[in-house]
Amino acid sequence: MQHSYAGGSYEYITASGSGDLTTSTSATPFTTNAAAHGNFTDLVTDLDVQSASVPTEAVLGDHLVDPFQPGTALPDSHGYRVADGLTAAEPSTPTPYGVIGEGIESNQLMTDNPETYNGGAIGGPSVLSRLDRDILDQPGISTAILDSGLEDLLAGATSDDLDADGYTALVQQLQGWGINVVLTSLTPCEGFTGDGATPNDPCTSTTDSNRTDVNAFLGGMNLGNPWATPAVYFADFDAAVAVTDATTGEERLAAAADSGDHVNLSNPAFGALTTALLSPVDTWNLDDGDGMPVATDTAATDTLNTLNAAGADPNLGNSPLTLTGGATWSTDTTRGTVLSLDGSTGYAVSPAPQVVDSTKSFTLSAWVKLNAVGTANQTVVAEEGTQNSPFYLQYNHSHTGSPGWALGFTSADGASPAFSYAYAAGASANTWTHLVGVYNAATRTAQLYVNGAPAGTATGVTPWAATGSLVLGRGLYNGSQDDWTNGSVSGVQAYDYALTANQVAALYQSIP
């Protein structure tokens, strides 16, 4: 079996001459990186792995458009796909799952081997014709994430044909076998002039109209709901990477999501698709304004964690923040309405304890613009215990005696605890900075990202359990409120798992 654009970073093979390893029960013999053998790997098929009580999720499709053809552009032949993002996130998610990537060259839902290359047919069987082999034959399969359909429209299929003979037929089969389905909307193709093959397949206004109709159909498909058995869910990949073209009024890929051909995605865009499936548990845009005393929590449904946990998280999007003291709304020329903090009394606080479970994996993301950088620390996001905060995402001067950014941790909820930091030097005032703090409980590792790039790491970190509220704008140390933020904060999010680097890049690049 061969896929020319499989993710080489996740494929390993045995060294030549290793002999028969069919009875091996460990990964030790599989140490050679498959990428060393070219842009593809030849793999044994039907290697089954059964795990007790852990659901298996299959990503059916690879979201690539005509990767071999001269008119398309891919950022990396061994690039990051949705299956790779889900695999990387899983060790830190609240509910475990396994991932299998069921991509196929040509990535069409209804047509076999539809492409030509050097005068011959290439590609593979359509999604519908390979369903038994790639989905039904997999042990423990619980969910199929459908990432296919745009290629069908580019090749000339109509929305009515794709809806009736493609998606409906597929979902009915999967439901009949008791498999959950996550339908994903089709991402934009405006500006794609074709793959350069014969026949060419440009994205015309008719193609885009069909794409819009398909997305409306998928979003309203009345074949089940997230709490049915089996569930039929919808994840809006289109919204994750699309912007509106001011000239045509049609959707197009956001600049940072575009690999260069206006249809294939950048690696950070695949990170945005991963986040569309594993969304934040809390989102505070901090743009409420108009004298509102509360910052609304706008977090949406977390698709895969809801499916894997067999129910929605009751705390999802349920932590509005109350503005306190010198916390007000102001207008910023770059980010519009933002939360303004006075550096002495202003903060925003959640009503419920443990918005973030500090003993498990989490990610915190925030935009901050400081009015000044001095010798006092300024905490952007923290959570509270009795005496201290277990973590602080902050401007930090105390660690090295110079301006920097940090994700800091205290060793205990007692008097004068020790600190550990993922730290980056070079903080400055009067400019918006994107901070992301990631804690991975499985590896006990903390990472700090500054403006989308990894900037600091701390190892051997074991946070203690917070018992109090989440707070924006200050911390708690030795029983006293301190480290007040003097500046503006915008776009804060909390996740209950460790984001990947591509997901962080997508947040910084504001995809969409």
Side-chain angles (χ1 to χ4, degrees):
M1 181 179 182
Q2 185 183 97
H3 191 311
S4 302
Y5 285 86
S9 61
Y10 288 98
E11 296 175 5
Y12 293 85
I13 61 178
T14 59
S16 299
S18 297
D20 183 358
L21 294 169
T22 56
T23 61
S24 176
T25 58
S26 76
T28 302
F30 302 89
T31 56
T32 302
N33 192 334
H37 296 273
N39 285 346
F40 60 83
T41 54
D42 296 304
L43 303 176
V44 174
T45 61
D46 294 329
L47 177 63
D48 295 339
V49 178
Q50 181 73 55
S51 54
S53 303
V54 175
T56 298
E57 297 166 356
V59 180
L60 193 50
D62 58 17
H63 213 101
L64 298 180
V65 173
D66 299 342
F68 263 119
Q69 308 299 354
T72 56
L74 298 177
D76 183 355
S77 63
H78 298 290
Y80 176 97
R81 312 283 181 254
V82 172
D84 301 321
L86 295 178
T87 298
E90 187 279 332
S92 66
T93 55
T95 51
Y97 56 83
V99 181
I100 51 178
E102 297 292 1
I104 197 73
E105 287 174 20
S106 79
N107 202 37
Q108 287 206 23
L109 191 61
M110 299 189 298
T111 305
D112 295 339
N113 303 305
E115 307 296 333
T116 60
Y117 185 72
N118 290 336
I122 64 168
S126 67
V127 168
L128 286 171
S129 65
R130 62 191 175 96
L131 193 63
D132 56 345
R133 181 193 71 189
D134 289 351
I135 298 297
L136 303 181
D137 194 41
Q138 302 300 326
I141 188 77
S142 66
T143 300
I145 302 164
L146 182 60
D147 192 11
S148 183
L150 183 57
E151 283 249 37
D152 295 74
L153 298 182
L154 289 167
T158 66
S159 57
D160 289 343
D161 188 19
L162 190 58
D163 293 344
D165 300 327
Y167 291 111
T168 300
L170 176 66
V171 171
Q172 287 176 342
Q173 287 191 59
L174 292 171
Q175 281 194 303
W177 286 96
I179 297 171
N180 301 317
V181 185
V182 178
L183 301 168
T184 65
S185 53
L186 305 183
T187 55
C189 61
E190 186 197 54
F192 178 54
T193 58
D195 62 7
T198 303
N200 203 20
D201 55 0
C203 181
T204 65
S205 59
T206 299
T207 306
D208 194 68
S209 178
N210 280 317
R211 184 188 69 88
T212 301
D213 290 345
V214 166
N215 286 347
F217 173 80
L218 295 176
M221 204 172 195
N222 188 25
L223 292 173
N225 61 66
W227 297 274
T229 305
V232 177
Y233 226 122
F234 175 72
D236 200 348
F237 279 8
D238 179 41
V241 296
V243 296
T244 301
D245 189 318
T247 302
T248 66
E250 295 180 350
E251 287 185 330
R252 60 176 172 81
L253 290 176
D258 193 338
S259 70
D261 60 15
H262 309 307
V263 66
N264 282 296
L265 302 184
S266 66
N267 283 342
F270 279 107
L273 300 190
T274 303
T275 305
L277 294 166
L278 292 169
S279 58
V281 291
D282 297 288
T283 296
W284 302 280
N285 295 322
L286 302 180
D287 59 0
D288 302 76
D290 294 329
M292 289 290 292
V294 172
T296 307
D297 185 350
T298 63
T301 302
D302 186 335
T303 304
L304 290 186
N305 279 338
T306 297
L307 279 171
N308 294 337
D313 182 350
N315 296 320
L316 184 72
N318 196 30
S319 297
L321 304 177
T322 300
L323 274 60
T324 304
T328 58
W329 302 112
S330 62
T331 301
D332 180 81
T333 55
T334 300
R335 297 192 60 83
T337 300
V338 298
L339 178 65
S340 181
L341 303 167
D342 65 357
S344 59
T345 64
Y347 63 97
V349 60
S350 72
Q354 279 201 328
V355 170
V356 172
D357 187 338
S358 53
T359 65
K360 298 180 180 178
S361 298
F362 64 85
T363 300
L364 301 168
S365 169
W367 286 92
V368 58
K369 183 172 74 171
L370 301 179
N371 293 333
V373 290
T375 58
N377 295 345
Q378 300 182 52
T379 293
V380 181
V381 186
E383 205 161 44
E384 297 186 332
T386 303
Q387 295 293 314
N388 304 307
S389 295
F391 60 80
Y392 311 79
L393 184 63
Q394 64 179 189
Y395 163 77
N396 184 287
H397 190 277
S398 61
H399 181 51
T400 63
S402 60
W405 301 108
L407 175 62
F409 298 86
T410 53
S411 59
D413 193 16
S416 302
F419 285 88
S420 57
Y421 293 102
Y423 174 84
S428 59
N430 299 311
T431 183
W432 282 103
T433 301
H434 187 238
L435 300 179
V436 176
V438 179
Y439 176 66
N440 189 319
T443 61
R444 297 174 58 202
T445 300
Q447 288 183 289
L448 175 70
Y449 292 80
V450 178
N451 291 335
T457 301
T459 59
V461 179
T462 306
W464 47 271
T467 55
S469 298
L470 183 129
V471 182
L472 307 187
R474 64 163 176 80
L476 182 70
Y477 182 68
N478 278 346
S480 298
Q481 298 174 357
D482 66 353
D483 295 349
W484 301 88
T485 294
N486 178 16
S488 301
V489 182
S490 177
V492 176
Q493 293 179 313
Y495 299 77
D496 57 2
Y497 68 100
L499 264 63
T500 67
N502 279 303
Q503 290 175 280
V504 173
L507 288 174
Y508 170 63
Q509 294 172 8
S510 298
I511 299 176

